[in-house]
Amino acid sequence: MDQSLENRIRERAYEIWTAHGCMHAQAEQHWIAAEREVLATSTAVLAGKPNPKLKSRSAAGSKTARTLARAG
């Protein structure tokens, strides 16, 4: 596996692990989820298509920003 690809997967798996409360004994599930996301993003970039997961994340972020703005 390409070293930079493996590093991106490792970093994303760590993000997933911390987002799930740093629970142990789920490393394999986190790695597989990260691998799926990173490979999907890489494939979409190579194909010249935007990744729908990236859109949903930014949309969720803007929804949160709107909610916080209304609460403030």
Side-chain angles (χ1 to χ4, degrees):
M1 181 181 299
D2 181 291
Q3 192 65 32
S4 66
L5 179 62
E6 186 174 339
N7 286 337
R8 287 184 300 206
I9 295 168
R10 182 178 291 110
E11 289 171 6
R12 182 61 187 133
Y14 179 79
E15 291 171 357
I16 293 169
W17 178 65
T18 57
H20 287 103
C22 302
M23 294 179 61
H24 295 285
Q26 296 185 0
E28 187 174 345
Q29 290 89 345
H30 296 154
W31 183 271
I32 291 169
E35 190 173 47
R36 187 177 301 125
E37 287 181 27
V38 170
L39 292 175
T41 300
S42 297
T43 303
V45 168
L46 290 173
K49 299 176 184 176
N51 186 344
K53 284 197 175 249
L54 295 178
K55 284 184 178 180
S56 66
R57 283 187 186 164
S58 62
S62 61
K63 182 179 179 183
T64 302
R66 288 191 306 267
T67 303
L68 290 174
R70 278 187 257 144

